[in-house]
Amino acid sequence: MRYGHSVESVRRAEAALMARVPEGALMQRAAAGLAGAGADLLGRVYGARLAVLVGSGANGGDALFAAARLLRRGAAATAVLLAPERAYAEGLSAFRSAGGRVAAAEEGARVVARADLVLDGVTGIGGRGGLRPQAAELAAAAADGPAAVLAVDLPSGVDADTGEVHGPAVRADATVTFGTYKPALLIDPAAQYAGALRLVDIGLGGDLGAPELEALQHADAAALLPRPTGESDKYRRGVVGVAAGSERYPGAAVLAVSGALRGGAGAVRYAGPGGTAVLARHPETLVSPGSPRSAGRVQAWVVGPGLGDTSDARTAVDDALASDVPILVDADGLRLLTPEAVKRRTAATVLTPHAGEAAALLGWAREDVEGRRLHAVRELAARFGATVLLKGSTTLVADPDPGRPVRVNPTGTAWLATAGSGDVLSGLTGSLLAAGLAPQDAASLGAYLHGLSARLTPTPLTALDLADSLPSAWHNLLP
């Protein structure tokens, strides 16, 4: 698992560790890791030119100490001091002793334009609200120049705890972060500024406490996969019900069932008007033309994709909500929900909105959801008392228990922005619920498999292509 911790947790852990190790040890560990990453980006250190953007405090100190290490390997370096009177004194002394040159902020754009590598040590995890004008000018020069940009702990100008970006920020080609990942490195829009990530262990270890975020890795996803045993039959493996599609949107039924059939449950019951299309594509489906109430026993329901806004749609949602099994609500079904109806349920509920649907549920503007994803998913989970999978360039999964970390999905590609891909995800995740996974695990694994399938599918992909690649994604995870 990859973990992300809040600024408060990081600072508390650093203070605890600094009380046990020699003075300056943490900064030297960070500088060594940063210098190594810089050398890797350069390829050849000797003769390379570095521009070191230095703000106040320890972040600038890390950059200066790392640059001093690269100077001793034959690089040339110029430090651009944005707050000369508050630059980290010991780091600046080490930098000068190693042969580094110091420049005022007014010279910064010219220094950056001549560099092979830019070290961004402007603000780090303490920054809030975007860069100030001089720093913003240097960030723009770095973005326009030929040099690779390496951020120190975090791209300057992004909010470490939330992943929000309020104003100008550094766009890095790579970021070296220390001790643990910061939420902004894993959540858009800030994650788009971070580039490739490298985590340097500086010894924070058990002092960090509980994470704010966690992201499944390959082994974690593999461990969650439901697997049949010798005693399994289709009913013991779980039966998932799908209430989707309408005369206007018959394809949604096919796509949701396609995902469900590849999600680990033993059988799929379909309830709705799209039975003919579903059977033509998937004859193994158990089809009922009525509402969920008349479809037979299931271990989980998927309701919403392509239902439309008719009285039949309302009946399907109400029937699913009245059931005593976990349900997943997506698409049209989300418009027919109230927080009170969800909170009355005794079984788990999973909601899978995209940003527009989340905005409607919250009464926000869509751009507010996209800019404040972490806050949005937590607010939805709290308001509805449900597990929420917020789809988007960063897919987040929040448990209704605020004490549990939000999960960040690390897989996927931009090609998933295609009609029907969300219907496949709904069926897949509902099937994982029916197979017995806990709601946050089912949603997290569904998103992981969905994204992995997209990576394995030739592009441009369609939603049916995506569903057809799901078995390959499963086999990719298996030992």
Side-chain angles (χ1 to χ4, degrees):
M1 197 80 76
R2 178 181 280 186
Y3 297 104
H5 289 80
S6 68
V7 172
E8 180 183 355
S9 295
V10 170
R11 286 180 169 157
R12 187 169 54 243
E14 287 177 341
L17 182 57
M18 284 190 287
R20 304 194 299 268
V21 300
E23 185 177 354
L26 260 66
M27 188 165 282
Q28 290 304 324
R29 293 174 187 176
L34 183 60
D40 289 344
L41 277 175
L42 287 167
R44 183 173 182 269
V45 175
Y46 189 86
R49 295 166 296 184
L50 275 63
V52 190
L53 309 184
V54 183
S56 59
N59 191 256
D62 293 335
L64 288 165
F65 276 120
R69 288 172 177 264
L70 294 171
L71 280 161
R72 290 192 290 270
R73 294 177 58 180
T78 301
V80 180
L81 304 184
L82 288 160
E85 70 285 355
R86 289 181 289 145
Y88 195 86
E90 292 86 350
L92 188 56
S93 175
F95 178 80
R96 282 180 161 140
S97 295
R101 173 179 173 268
V102 174
E106 292 74 17
E107 299 179 62
R110 292 193 297 275
V111 173
V112 168
R114 295 193 296 266
D116 301 304
L117 177 68
V118 175
L119 291 182
D120 163 32
V122 178
T123 61
I125 63 175
R128 293 290 186 275
L131 297 173
R132 295 178 180 177
Q134 276 191 326
E137 180 183 340
L138 294 178
D144 293 339
V149 179
L150 179 60
V152 181
D153 210 15
L154 190 79
S156 295
V158 308
D159 189 300
D161 278 340
T162 67
E164 297 170 21
V165 182
H166 302 289
V170 169
R171 285 193 178 271
D173 296 290
T175 297
V176 175
T177 196
F178 309 122
T180 183
Y181 295 97
K182 287 47 179 198
L185 298 175
L186 304 175
I187 301 173
D188 286 337
Q192 296 181 24
Y193 290 72
L197 301 180
R198 179 183 291 194
L199 177 65
V200 172
D201 182 5
I202 58 173
L204 299 184
D207 292 317
L208 281 166
E212 295 289 312
L213 298 177
E214 57 188 21
L216 298 182
Q217 301 300 283
H218 228 52
D220 305 309
L224 290 174
L225 287 175
R227 295 177 174 87
T229 67
E231 296 299 315
S232 295
D233 59 37
K234 62 188 176 186
Y235 299 111
R236 287 174 175 155
R237 289 180 58 197
V239 180
V240 60
V242 176
S246 59
E247 291 184 5
R248 186 176 180 184
Y249 303 114
V254 175
L255 293 169
V257 168
S258 295
L261 286 167
R262 296 169 174 88
V268 176
R269 293 188 187 276
Y270 171 74
T276 300
V278 167
L279 286 172
R281 177 76 183 183
H282 299 296
E284 63 270 48
T285 311
L286 308 172
V287 169
S288 168
S291 71
R293 191 183 300 273
S294 63
R297 183 68 181 166
V298 300
Q299 278 70 53
W301 273 106
V302 174
V303 61
L307 282 183
D309 56 1
T310 64
S311 60
D312 288 341
R314 164 60 71 184
T315 298
V317 173
D318 289 346
D319 282 359
L321 287 171
S323 71
D324 60 355
V325 299
I327 66 168
L328 181 148
V329 187
D330 184 34
D332 291 330
L334 295 168
R335 295 186 293 104
L336 302 174
L337 286 182
T338 64
E340 295 73 25
V342 174
K343 287 182 174 180
R344 282 196 298 267
R345 303 195 73 246
T346 56
T349 304
V350 177
L351 311 181
T352 59
H354 57 54
E357 292 160 343
L361 292 170
L362 290 167
W364 296 7
R366 180 179 182 129
E367 54 267 28
D368 290 338
V369 173
E370 292 174 335
R372 306 171 66 200
R373 296 173 194 274
L374 185 57
H375 180 58
V377 76
R378 282 174 168 159
E379 177 64 22
L380 278 171
R383 190 175 297 188
F384 283 84
T387 299
V388 177
L389 185 158
L390 177 59
K391 296 177 282 195
S393 59
T394 303
T395 291
L396 300 176
V397 182
D399 190 86
D401 178 356
R404 298 195 65 177
V406 172
R407 291 230 176 118
V408 184
N409 183 53
T411 63
T413 78
W415 291 105
L416 280 171
T418 187
S421 69
D423 301 340
V424 174
L425 174 61
S426 296
L428 168 63
T429 304
S431 190
L432 293 167
L433 281 172
L437 271 68
Q440 193 177 29
D441 286 341
S444 303
L445 181 58
Y448 194 99
L449 285 165
H450 189 251
L452 182 57
S453 180
R455 292 182 182 179
L456 298 173
T457 304
T459 55
L461 60 81
T462 68
L464 275 178
D465 295 334
L466 183 67
D468 289 342
S469 292
L470 282 170
S472 297
W474 278 69
H475 283 283
N476 191 276
L477 287 178
L478 295 172

